Amino acid sequence: MAVIHDVMPAFELFQPMSVPDALALLDRYGADAWVFAGGLDSFDWLKDRLKRPKVVVDLGGIQELRGIRASADGGLEIGAMTTLTEVVRHPTIRERYGILSVGAEAAASPQIRNQGTIGGNVSQDTRCWYYRSGWDCYRAGGNTCYADTPTALNREHAILDADRCVAVNPSDSAPALIALGAMMVSRSTNGERVVEAEDYFVGPGTDITRMTILQPGDLLTAIRLPGTWAGAHFYFEKVRDRNVWDFALVSVASAMFTSGNTIQRLRLAVNGVAPRPVRLAAVEQAVQGQPRTEATATLAGDLAIEGAQPLHHNAYKVPLLRNLVKRAIRPDVRSQT
């Protein structure tokens, strides 16, 4: 295991006051730069001396990255440096996009939410203890996955879509944003890029060293919530070992419109089961136009676990995933928002 030093390596600190200044720094230093938002995950990496950037770019002074604003399409735009507490408490989010409020509140303790940002929550690295302890695994540039062995401690790892690396995505707001059809806005010195939330996250088959599309020089600046799913029937549930601050074993987020007892439209995403948050498109298609009944919920749950390949210690995630998806569809379960 890695030796914990609690003494951060030396680096040069920059505190830009505008997005263009931040982008210029990120472009200049490239892979040698570390983006510092709320700092909670950053401090762990730096204190354990597992990340040794030459430059840290602190975004705390950039006011244009903060705040929640109405957008022209009837939705909202959330600055990437907006704290989780602000997201949880914002009246429009609570009223029209309640699933995000619940997901952001589930992410951490009140103290952490006061400091942590929505951009940091969706962009954080995996919490696999082998990787975070400095083992030379695939994600760290090595040639093995220490979690994918018969004797490994892999109780919290992936059962879906693993490709060499079996670490899972830790973000609680991510599945909510996918269910809401959010758009992620990033910028670099080459311009602006806007992608759907489900495409913001990447799995090891795309790039085993990253969890998002952000490359050196890129900066997540905002998250846009379209008006399309505002006011839907929402469901969010996170199962964890402790009902305080803890990462999800499995989580589910859904947005649904119904007509009477018929499911008209559905977006459904899960996390904690794969290296990236997974949108269950096959489930969405299968239940569209179907009655919201126990039989439909069972169909959805069975489809959700197709292709699951549990590891030695996490087979419990298969029935857990199936049942959470069923609960999101089942007619007698009230919305969690």
Side-chain angles (χ1 to χ4, degrees):
M1 302 295 284
V3 176
I4 307 303
H5 295 279
D6 271 343
V7 177
M8 288 186 283
F11 54 79
E12 191 171 4
L13 175 65
F14 290 95
Q15 296 176 304
M17 302 301 290
S18 70
V19 170
D21 287 346
L23 294 178
L25 288 166
L26 296 178
D27 183 62
R28 183 191 313 170
Y29 292 101
D32 291 327
W34 182 269
V35 177
F36 186 97
L40 298 164
D41 192 25
S42 296
F43 282 131
D44 287 342
W45 283 115
L46 297 175
K47 287 171 63 180
D48 292 348
R49 303 178 73 88
L50 295 174
K51 301 292 185 181
R52 297 169 177 262
K54 294 180 180 179
V55 165
V56 171
V57 180
D58 179 6
L59 306 179
I62 305 179
Q63 291 305 308
E64 62 189 290
L65 293 179
R66 298 184 180 274
I68 301 171
R69 303 165 287 274
S71 56
D73 65 353
L76 292 177
E77 180 170 291
I78 307 172
M81 285 291 290
T82 304
T83 67
L84 294 171
T85 294
E86 293 175 89
V87 172
V88 170
R89 295 179 178 176
H90 194 274
T92 304
I93 292 180
R94 294 176 70 90
E95 178 184 356
R96 304 183 66 209
Y97 304 96
I99 191 175
L100 179 57
S101 177
V102 175
E105 187 169 25
S109 67
Q111 296 89 342
I112 292 175
R113 294 197 302 269
N114 289 341
Q115 181 69 20
T117 66
I118 185 69
N121 185 260
V122 298
S123 303
Q124 64 183 306
D125 210 338
T126 183
R127 299 285 170 161
C128 172
W129 40 77
Y130 295 101
Y131 173 60
R132 304 284 293 213
S133 296
W135 293 52
D136 59 338
C137 62
Y138 281 124
R139 188 170 291 276
N143 60 2
T144 191
C145 176
Y146 294 98
D148 189 13
T149 69
T151 59
L153 300 175
N154 51 32
R155 178 175 172 272
E156 298 183 3
H157 288 71
I159 60 172
L160 293 172
D161 301 337
D163 184 346
R164 294 170 292 159
C165 176
V166 297
V168 298
N169 183 284
S171 174
D172 288 313
S173 57
L177 291 170
I178 292 173
L180 290 170
M183 307 298 290
M184 316 297 278
V185 184
S186 64
R187 288 174 60 182
S188 70
T189 53
N190 294 322
E192 183 176 274
R193 181 182 183 187
V194 182
V195 299
E196 293 189 17
E198 61 183 300
D199 296 325
Y200 179 73
F201 304 96
V202 298
T206 300
D207 189 331
I208 205 166
T209 65
R210 295 183 294 130
M211 301 208 86
T212 73
I213 62 170
L214 298 180
Q215 298 273 13
D218 293 342
L219 182 65
L220 178 68
T221 57
I223 299 171
R224 294 172 183 164
L225 303 180
T228 313
W229 292 93
H233 299 290
F234 296 126
Y235 190 87
F236 181 93
E237 188 167 4
K238 171 184 177 179
V239 174
R240 48 193 160 177
D241 284 324
R242 303 174 299 164
N243 272 334
V244 284
W245 176 79
D246 209 348
F247 296 102
L249 299 172
V250 181
S251 63
V252 63
S254 68
M256 180 190 301
F257 282 109
T258 60
S259 176
N261 192 43
T262 301
I263 300 172
Q264 290 185 310
R265 289 188 291 149
L266 172 71
R267 283 182 70 98
L268 180 67
V270 294
N271 211 4
V273 295
R276 54 177 289 181
V278 177
R279 180 182 173 192
L280 300 179
V283 174
E284 296 172 1
Q285 295 169 8
V287 304
Q288 184 174 339
Q290 299 299 313
R292 194 178 182 188
T293 62
E294 183 68 25
T296 301
T298 299
L299 170 65
D302 290 342
L303 284 174
I305 62 172
E306 284 192 354
Q309 294 182 310
L311 303 170
H312 190 63
H313 294 294
N314 69 356
Y316 73 93
K317 284 194 176 188
V318 177
L320 181 55
L321 172 60
R322 180 181 60 230
N323 290 334
L324 287 185
V325 170
K326 287 174 65 176
R327 287 165 69 92
I329 305 297
R330 187 177 288 156
D332 59 341
V333 176
R334 293 185 178 182
S335 167
Q336 296 292 292
T337 61

